[in-house]
């Protein structure tokens, strides 16, 4: 049995990775989370529907507590999701991001190395690329320049640097940073989903509007240099993203260290997403056009060929209707 620790596993993406690991069945799973944006109910659902989890409420900023926790257990691998991730908040309160995302990651990596953890998977983000001037037809590759435009993106890129330097100095410690593009949808099994409060993620917002939880939704800018004037993004189903983590863990058995984009390599415009949600839900809902938001590039599409070539990752849910439907079904499940 592989002993895996997930940090931030009470949150959206971490819980879907936990689910996939539990389904695989050969893992002893521990989750730590401070429940700042995650939910105890998510852990309960994981246990009820997918299998046993050891849950420890722990804040990664409690460094002594983290060290005590590691002294009592042994792990083969860590998948590190715990972070703060609201871009405008990171502009207003950058130190929260540098402390929670960067300093706590540095400490976690140090503790992992000191206690002999060999594998580390890190949740990074397309935000490390900032506002690329142009996107090649095949999408943005890992070799593209990194140039974050907000503290959130910087906090993640700095964590990647920490991992790279630490792994070079400690060859028994191997890491992969996965740069996620736009994550959306919910467990195809319908048991867990995205419960994030005040979410700004387009597909979740569209699902909420379709269900009347919001009166209307806003499209931020319709004058971008794209066919319909709205931004284009690479939406990846959260279960496919979760499977990429399992592949990354396997990959570390063969080859150390690396950075991988995770997306499908094609994009949909905001208007296309809204139309798809209307079709899937069978409901029309009001849309308003609002001004562009600062820092929104016109197009962000992943070139994920490196992940496809180096691992056996084969997306199973590359289907915008399915992404919208699972998001909608989960939104119906949530009471508020
Ligand atoms: N959601 C996306 O579209 C997206 C895109 C790119 C990257 N990411 C990255 O993926 C990861 C997970 O994102 P998510 O969407 O699941 O967010 P989330 O907010 O649902 O999950 C984060 C979890 O971490 C926990 N947490 C935060 N700080 C903690 C701390 N100090 N100690 C212990 N637990 C803590 C929260 O309670 C929460 O359960 C993050 O690292 C994020 O930067 C997300």
């Amino acid at each position: 049995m592989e002993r895996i620790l997930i940090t931030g596993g009470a949150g959206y993406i971490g819980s879907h990775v936990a689910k996939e690991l539990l389904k695989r069945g050969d893992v002893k799973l521990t989750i730590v989370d401070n429940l700042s944006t995650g939910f105890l109910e998510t852990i309960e659902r994981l246990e009820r529907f997918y299998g046993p989890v050891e849950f420890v409420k722990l804040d990664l900023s409690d460094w002594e507590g983290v060290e005590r926790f590691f002294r009592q257990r042994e792990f083969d691998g860590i998948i590190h999701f715990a972070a703060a991730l609201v871009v405008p908040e990171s502009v207003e309160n950058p130190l929260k991001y540098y402390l929670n995302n960067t300093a706590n990651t540095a400490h976690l990596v140090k503790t992992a190395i000191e206690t002999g953890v060999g594998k580390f998977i890190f949740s990074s983000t397309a935000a490390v690329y900032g506002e690329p001037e142009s996107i090649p037809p095949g999408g943005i590759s890992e070799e593209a320049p990194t140039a974050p435009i907000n503290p959130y993106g910087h906090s993640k890129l700095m964590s990647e640097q920490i991992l790279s330097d630490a792994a070079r100095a400690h060859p028994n410690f191997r890491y992969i940073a996965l740069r996620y593009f736009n994550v959306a949808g919910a467990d195809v099994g319908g048991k867990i989903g995205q419960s994030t409060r005040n979410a700004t993620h387009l597909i979740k917002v569209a699902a909420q509007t379709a269900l009347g939880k919001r009166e209307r939704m806003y499209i931020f800018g319709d004058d971008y240099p794209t066919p319909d004037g709205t931004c284009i993004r690479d939406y990846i189903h959260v279960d496919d993203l979760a499977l990429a983590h399992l592949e990354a863990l396997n990959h570390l058995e063969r080859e150390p260290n690396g950075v991988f984009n995770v997306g499908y390599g094609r994009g949909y415009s905001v208007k296309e997403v809204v139309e798809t949600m209307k079709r899937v839900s069978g409901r029309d809902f009001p849309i308003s056009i609002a001004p562009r938001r600062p820092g929104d590039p016109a197009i962000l599409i992943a070139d994920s060929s490196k992940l496809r070539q180096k691992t056996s990752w084969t997306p199973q849910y590359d289907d915008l209707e399915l992404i919208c439907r699972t998001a909608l079904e989960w939104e119906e499940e949530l009471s508020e």
Side-chain angles (χ1 to χ4, degrees):
M1 292 281 256
E2 215 178 6
R3 297 157 302 178
I4 301 290
L5 171 67
I6 292 185
T7 74
Y12 172 42
I13 302 170
S15 60
H16 286 77
V17 173
K19 173 194 79 156
E20 293 300 336
L21 285 169
L22 291 170
K23 277 168 64 182
R24 207 175 74 181
D26 56 353
V27 165
K28 184 171 177 290
L29 187 59
T30 301
I31 289 177
V32 295
D33 199 298
N34 67 358
L35 302 179
S36 54
T37 57
F39 299 85
L40 195 56
E41 196 198 331
T42 302
I43 303 288
E44 288 161 4
R45 281 177 165 264
L46 280 172
E47 290 214 279
R48 188 166 354 130
F49 297 111
Y50 292 111
V53 177
E54 181 198 22
F55 175 66
V56 179
K57 187 170 178 215
L58 182 64
D59 193 322
L60 295 186
S61 66
D62 172 8
W63 290 7
E64 277 181 20
V66 169
E67 284 156 26
R68 213 174 311 118
F69 168 83
F70 272 87
R71 276 199 297 275
Q72 291 158 359
R73 293 166 183 77
E74 283 182 45
F75 297 109
D76 302 301
I78 299 178
I79 314 181
H80 177 40
F81 298 95
L85 53 135
V86 181
V87 169
E89 184 192 47
S90 81
V91 176
E92 277 158 33
N93 190 358
L95 292 174
K96 172 176 174 181
Y97 282 70
Y98 291 121
L99 288 171
N100 197 25
N101 296 2
T102 313
N104 290 341
T105 296
H107 178 258
L108 181 67
V109 169
K110 175 175 177 284
T111 314
I113 290 169
E114 284 171 358
T115 57
V117 179
K119 297 195 273 188
F120 195 100
I121 311 294
F122 176 63
S123 291
S124 192
T125 165
V128 300
Y129 298 115
E131 262 180 294
E133 278 178 12
S134 65
I135 301 270
I140 192 163
S141 85
E142 294 83 357
E143 272 67 53
T146 48
I149 55 163
N150 50 58
Y152 169 64
H154 278 294
S155 73
K156 288 285 177 172
L157 188 59
M158 287 160 75
S159 301
E160 286 192 14
Q161 186 67 51
I162 288 165
L163 282 162
S164 164
D165 293 343
R168 196 173 304 119
H170 302 277
N172 291 334
F173 176 80
R174 296 176 160 203
Y175 85 97
I176 282 178
L178 297 176
R179 293 176 177 164
Y180 314 158
F181 280 62
N182 285 62
V183 190
D187 174 17
V188 291
K191 307 300 187 214
I192 55 171
Q194 184 178 18
S195 303
T196 321
R197 292 182 200 95
N198 307 318
T200 52
H201 305 73
L202 177 69
I203 291 182
K204 183 168 173 80
V205 169
Q208 290 175 327
T209 318
L211 293 174
K213 295 185 186 187
R214 293 177 189 241
E215 274 178 24
R216 59 176 55 248
M217 66 175 289
Y218 296 90
I219 292 180
F220 298 101
D222 65 351
D223 56 352
Y224 284 94
T226 59
D228 68 17
T230 63
C231 288
I232 293 178
R233 293 288 181 272
D234 187 338
Y235 295 95
I236 177 170
H237 191 281
V238 64
D239 282 344
D240 273 337
L241 176 67
L243 292 169
H245 292 74
L246 274 58
E247 290 297 335
L249 277 175
N250 285 341
H251 182 70
L252 282 181
E253 305 278 349
R254 301 187 295 274
E255 227 182 275
N257 310 330
V259 174
F260 292 86
N261 286 337
V262 202
Y264 290 141
R266 70 177 157 124
Y268 291 99
S269 75
V270 175
K271 279 188 180 161
E272 285 173 317
V273 169
V274 169
E275 288 312 313
T276 307
M277 187 58 84
K278 286 185 174 177
R279 199 168 53 246
V280 163
S281 64
R283 295 183 199 177
D284 198 6
F285 47 85
I287 305 291
S288 297
I289 305 295
R292 291 183 182 195
R293 289 181 303 199
D296 264 347
I299 303 177
L300 257 189
I301 295 174
D303 174 351
S304 59
S305 47
K306 183 178 170 193
L307 181 68
R308 290 171 199 252
Q309 280 158 17
K310 291 220 169 216
T311 74
S312 317
W313 184 65
T314 319
Q316 296 175 25
Y317 309 109
D318 178 2
D319 173 348
L320 186 61
E321 286 205 1
L322 176 95
I323 293 175
C324 288
R325 194 166 51 251
T326 54
L328 189 72
E329 283 166 2
W330 176 251
E331 211 53 53
E332 279 173 330
E333 183 89 18
L334 288 174
S335 51
E336 5 167 89

